[in-house]
Amino acid sequence: MSSTSFPLVRPAAAAPDRTRGSQVEQDNWTSWPSREALERQGQTPARHWLGLVGRYLGLGFALWFTFVSSDLRGGHRLIVAGATAFGILGFWGFLRSSPKMRVLPSVLWLVLVLNSALICLQLGGEVIAIVLLCGISMASMQRLPLVVAVPLTALSALLFILLVPESDWLGNLGTVLGLGALGYVVRLDWESRAQTLRLLSQERAARSAEAESAALAERARIAREIHDVLAHSLSAQLVHLEAARLMLDAGAEREQLRERIVAARRMAQDGLAETRAALSALRGEFVPVGQYLATMAGNDGAALTIEGEVRPLGAEVGVAVRRTAQEALTNVRKHAPGAVCEVRLSYLDGTVELEVRNGASEGGGELAASGSGYGLLGMRERAELLGGSLLAGPEAGGYRVLLSVPTP
């Protein structure tokens, strides 16, 4: 069965923005139900089986009253039976073609049902004819654009009034129109379920995208932490290895060289340990920041001061404080060996501050040229990612680093 073009709006196509109410109303009249609604997606098994049982029971009673409890005899019975079979076939074809959103095939199937109903009415099969006419009214309002469904419903009501013998025309009109209205209500229910399914699908897609974005952010954060740990560890190793080279060039004793090499080896071991600690820190499993700074300051001979009410810090904030302290103290060892160094950790309202300052160097600073020079730049970028800031610069012959990061 071929189909021709019909100027109706399909919901699958994106419609342009409407600025006039009449145009929106026209689209509502010419648009199909959504494909999800026509395919009954989201329908529960209980509701599906209840609908099937209701249809088959209704059809069964109609057939009983038509062929058992009526006065049909002989040839009329055979013709009504054939017309009923064609009517049922027409409904089957309509239910198969309407989800494809093709107007002409759907209407032709309903015309077949209508003709079957007229034949049954003329030959005494009023009950099955009434069921077929009511089915046209209800099914068309459920599955067709309103511009097509309303005329079909009106035609079914008119035939019901004119052709059913000895009938109350007002009651018949109410019956057919009421079933048409019921079909429209069912259509709205289908659309509501379809809209719910679409929203659930969009929510799942949004959650999947959010989870993927979070995973990518977590990977980037882990990569950044490992990079910072390795950069610090390798920079510290380079400090000791460069010192060993300078001592070797100066003809230092074997034991002094051994101390520097052992220190570099220890830095490598510390780097591995810090890498594990960084991963633990991202999971919120690291030791408190104050305790960590106390250990670090003690190892470097720096004075530590903690101000304010101590409180737990978030994983990223805690890691930022740790890494900034490591970088700042490493720079002190590189650029100002032997200088007095002070570390201050302040818990303020909504903010945590870390300040590392050192005085003038007592040595020559032979290791100032070692390292990449990007450590403080990386710390500044980390602070800005957290909504904070990092200030670094010379002060009174020494150097000062100030990290400020907001806390929840």
Side-chain angles (χ1 to χ4, degrees):
M1 186 177 295
S2 62
S3 63
T4 59
S5 62
F6 201 88
L8 298 179
V9 178
R10 299 192 178 195
D17 293 339
R18 309 299 183 190
T19 58
R20 299 176 59 185
S22 59
Q23 185 65 50
V24 174
E25 184 178 355
Q26 180 181 356
D27 289 346
N28 290 335
W29 274 86
T30 59
S31 61
W32 286 80
S34 65
R35 192 172 301 276
E36 296 90 348
L38 290 174
E39 294 177 355
R40 310 292 297 276
Q41 294 182 9
Q43 187 181 37
T44 61
R47 194 166 185 171
H48 171 73
W49 286 107
L50 183 61
L52 286 180
V53 170
R55 294 190 193 98
Y56 288 131
L57 283 178
L59 180 61
F61 281 118
L63 294 175
W64 170 268
F65 284 112
T66 299
F67 296 103
V68 177
S69 300
S70 66
D71 297 331
L72 285 175
R73 293 291 184 271
H76 285 184
R77 177 185 291 269
L78 292 177
I79 296 174
V80 170
T84 300
F86 277 105
I88 295 174
L89 175 64
F91 269 118
W92 177 85
F94 173 73
L95 295 177
R96 297 278 294 181
S97 64
S98 58
K100 300 177 182 178
M101 297 184 182
R102 299 168 62 189
V103 174
L104 184 58
S106 301
V107 172
L108 290 179
W109 283 115
L110 288 182
V111 169
L112 176 61
V113 179
L114 182 61
N115 289 329
S116 300
L118 293 177
I119 293 173
C120 292
L121 278 174
Q122 293 296 324
L123 299 180
E126 290 87 0
V127 175
I128 193 65
I130 291 172
V131 170
L132 293 177
L133 289 174
C134 292
I136 292 174
S137 174
M138 189 170 183
S140 61
M141 294 297 292
Q142 286 176 340
R143 294 176 170 269
L144 292 177
L146 295 180
V147 70
V148 179
V150 171
L152 286 174
T153 301
L155 179 61
S156 299
L158 181 62
L159 293 176
F160 202 126
I161 295 170
L162 296 178
L163 299 180
V164 176
E166 300 179 359
S167 62
D168 177 10
W169 71 270
L170 186 60
N172 292 338
L173 178 64
T175 300
V176 178
L177 294 182
L179 287 174
L182 177 61
Y184 185 69
V185 171
V186 173
R187 172 194 185 122
L188 295 179
D189 179 63
W190 291 356
E191 284 288 1
S192 177
R193 287 205 307 271
Q195 179 66 18
T196 301
L197 283 176
R198 286 192 291 269
L199 291 176
L200 288 175
S201 177
Q202 293 172 3
E203 183 179 358
R204 292 192 189 100
R207 288 183 177 180
S208 177
E210 183 180 354
E212 183 177 356
S213 176
L216 292 176
E218 181 70 10
R219 293 172 187 171
R221 189 170 61 161
I222 291 174
R224 185 171 64 248
E225 298 305 331
I226 293 178
H227 170 269
D228 290 343
V229 169
L230 293 179
H232 169 74
S233 175
L234 293 175
S235 177
Q237 293 177 56
L238 184 59
V239 169
H240 289 283
L241 292 176
E242 184 68 12
R245 185 188 68 81
L246 294 174
M247 294 171 64
L248 181 62
D249 292 342
E253 296 293 333
R254 176 186 176 91
E255 187 62 28
Q256 293 176 328
L257 293 174
R258 183 178 182 280
E259 289 179 0
R260 289 296 181 177
I261 295 174
V262 170
R265 177 177 177 274
R266 184 175 65 252
M267 287 297 176
Q269 294 174 335
D270 293 342
L272 292 175
E274 288 177 5
T275 301
R276 300 188 186 98
L279 296 178
S280 298
L282 292 174
R283 304 186 184 100
E285 300 171 356
F286 58 88
V287 298
V289 173
Q291 180 180 343
Y292 178 84
L293 293 181
T295 302
M296 180 182 294
N299 293 336
D300 286 286
L304 173 65
T305 303
I306 298 179
E307 301 175 349
E309 182 179 355
V310 178
R311 60 180 182 271
L313 301 178
E316 292 191 2
V317 175
V319 171
V321 172
R322 291 158 60 102
R323 294 292 168 261
T324 302
Q326 285 181 342
E327 182 65 30
L329 291 175
T330 299
N331 286 341
V332 171
R333 290 196 302 268
K334 289 167 53 177
H335 300 279
V340 176
C341 182
E342 298 178 355
V343 179
R344 176 179 61 85
L345 178 65
S346 300
Y347 293 89
L348 307 177
D349 291 337
T351 307
V352 63
E353 286 187 354
L354 172 72
E355 183 182 41
V356 180
R357 57 171 41 171
N358 62 273
S361 172
E362 296 180 359
E366 297 88 348
L367 303 177
S370 63
S372 64
Y374 292 103
L376 288 178
L377 177 61
M379 295 301 102
R380 181 174 291 109
E381 292 175 351
R382 180 195 295 273
E384 291 174 352
L385 287 175
L386 297 176
S389 62
L390 185 137
L391 303 176
E395 179 187 68
Y399 205 81
R400 175 175 178 263
V401 175
L402 176 63
L403 172 71
S404 178
V405 182
T407 58

